[in-house]
């Protein structure tokens, strides 16, 4: 009997501006061995490419189905959790996974109900600070401190293995499934698009109110960091959006 794939189908591997097409193919092969099929490429230097197809070695179907987009925002807009891989943990106010298995358990739990993504950066320079800041979490895979650099496809393989392992060992739903599903839905995080919309609306309201016409260049960045740390649920974000609309609604003279 084939086991349900819904959670695996909600896991997205995102490669940002990959330079060598062979690495795209090798990443597709790594994904294929662990049951992952959603590959998104952000501005790859060359794709499609014969080298990518050659290195896929069984994962050619993933290359054929791969989605090519122009920005990281487009790649993960509907995702509730976005984990950025980095060789070093940045000094950013993002929740940090210290181990791959910890990351995998949390992502697979969310993937039961919504899309999630793992984001891998450029071979030489990785992800920019701006790209990491767009993620919800960051992860630096434990490795030899004297040389903690993994090849792109190796990093994909390690993470894909952890995700598949968490998928295989997930706990079956017990008790009233409908009630538990309703409870999980209430606790889901907002998508990146929903969070971005709220933050843009807040920025506009603060600017209109004159709050940003002050020498505080990092005000919006600090507010963004605050919301990242607080990790509001979809319901909580909806309440914040409603409060913002009420505060900015024009008053009618009577």
């Amino acid at each position: 009997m084939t086991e349900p794939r819904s959670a695996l189908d909600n896991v997205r591997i995102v490669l940002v501006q990959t330079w060598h097409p062979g690495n795209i193919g090798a990443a597709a092969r790594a994904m294929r061995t662990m049951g992952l099929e959603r590959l998104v490429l952000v501005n790859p230097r060359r794709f499609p490419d014969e080298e990518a197809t050659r290195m896929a070695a069984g994962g050619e179907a993933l290359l054929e189905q791969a989605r090519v987009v122009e920005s990281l925002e487009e790649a993960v807009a509907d995702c509730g959790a976005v984990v950025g891989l980095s060789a070093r943990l940045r000094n950013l106010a993002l929740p940090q996974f210290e181990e791959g298995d910890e990351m995998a358990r949390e992502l697979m739990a969310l993937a039961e109900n919504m899309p999630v993504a793992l984001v891998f950066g450029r071979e030489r320079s990785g992800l920019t600070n701006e790209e990491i800041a767009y993620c919800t979490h960051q992860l630096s895979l434990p490795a030899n401190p004297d040389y903690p650099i993994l090849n792109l496809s190796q990093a994909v393989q390690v993470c894909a293995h952890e995700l598949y392992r968490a998928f295989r060992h997930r706990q079956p739903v017990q008790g009233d499934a409908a009630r538990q599903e309703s409870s999980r839905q209430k606790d889901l995080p907002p998508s990146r698009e929903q969070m971005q919309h709220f933050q843009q609306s807040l920025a506009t309201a603060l600017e209109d109110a004159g709050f940003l016409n002050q020498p505080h260049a990092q005000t919006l960045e600090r507010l963004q960091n605050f919301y990242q740390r607080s990790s509001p649920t979809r319901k909580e974000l909806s309440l914040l959006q409603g409060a913002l609309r009420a505060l900015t609604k024009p008053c009618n003279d009577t």
Side-chain angles (χ1 to χ4, degrees):
M1 180 177 178
T2 303
E3 58 183 341
R5 287 190 44 88
S6 58
L8 287 177
D9 287 340
N10 270 335
V11 177
R12 192 173 303 170
I13 300 296
V14 181
L15 308 183
V16 177
Q17 290 187 347
T18 308
W19 183 261
H20 297 287
N23 283 332
I24 297 175
R29 179 180 183 180
M31 293 171 59
R32 181 74 174 88
T33 62
M34 296 298 153
L36 301 177
E37 297 183 353
R38 309 298 184 216
L39 176 62
V40 182
L41 308 175
V42 179
N43 285 330
R45 186 172 71 97
R46 294 205 320 264
F47 186 82
D49 189 88
E50 292 182 359
E51 181 68 6
T53 301
R54 185 180 71 82
M55 293 297 293
E60 294 89 348
L62 274 69
L63 299 182
E64 295 172 1
Q65 300 166 7
R67 186 160 63 99
V68 180
V69 299
E70 295 183 356
S71 67
L72 178 58
E73 290 85 349
E74 185 180 355
V76 300
D78 59 337
C79 293
V82 179
V83 179
L85 273 287
S86 176
R88 64 192 186 283
L89 293 179
R90 318 294 179 92
N91 188 25
L92 298 173
L94 281 182
Q96 299 175 356
F97 291 116
E98 296 183 357
E99 298 288 345
D101 59 342
E102 177 190 7
M103 170 277 298
R105 286 193 298 271
E106 184 161 332
L107 255 63
M108 290 312 303
L110 281 175
E112 295 284 350
N113 294 286
M114 66 187 310
V116 298
L118 273 168
V119 181
F120 299 81
R122 304 152 188 84
E123 289 93 332
R124 291 189 177 183
S125 58
L127 296 168
T128 65
N129 282 343
E130 291 76 14
E131 289 162 346
I132 286 286
Y134 195 77
C135 300
T136 61
H137 301 75
Q138 58 179 330
L139 166 67
S140 183
L141 292 171
N144 177 6
D146 294 330
Y147 189 69
I149 310 300
L150 276 74
N151 172 273
L152 174 59
S153 62
Q154 292 171 340
V156 172
Q157 184 72 81
V158 170
C159 291
H161 176 265
E162 293 287 6
L163 288 164
Y164 188 64
R165 184 165 172 262
F167 172 73
R168 290 179 58 243
H169 290 89
R170 70 196 188 287
Q171 295 297 318
V173 176
Q174 302 291 337
D176 185 348
R179 177 177 54 81
Q180 292 187 12
E181 176 65 19
S182 175
S183 177
R184 283 198 301 269
Q185 290 288 344
K186 290 180 181 179
D187 293 335
L188 288 178
S191 69
R192 301 310 298 150
E193 185 176 35
Q194 290 169 331
M195 181 60 79
Q196 284 292 105
H197 176 72
F198 169 73
Q199 291 177 343
Q200 289 170 1
S201 298
L202 178 61
T204 299
L206 292 176
E207 186 173 0
D208 291 345
F211 184 78
L212 296 184
N213 296 328
Q214 308 174 40
H216 299 304
Q218 294 184 331
T219 298
L220 290 177
E221 180 181 345
R222 289 172 178 171
L223 283 172
Q224 179 182 3
N225 291 340
F226 167 72
Y227 286 116
Q228 291 282 27
R229 290 195 306 272
S230 62
S231 301
T233 65
R234 287 187 175 183
K235 186 174 182 179
E236 291 167 340
L237 187 65
S238 179
L239 289 172
L240 289 171
Q241 289 173 322
L244 183 59
R245 284 194 297 269
L247 289 171
T248 57
K249 183 179 179 180
C251 296
N252 296 322
D253 293 333
T254 58

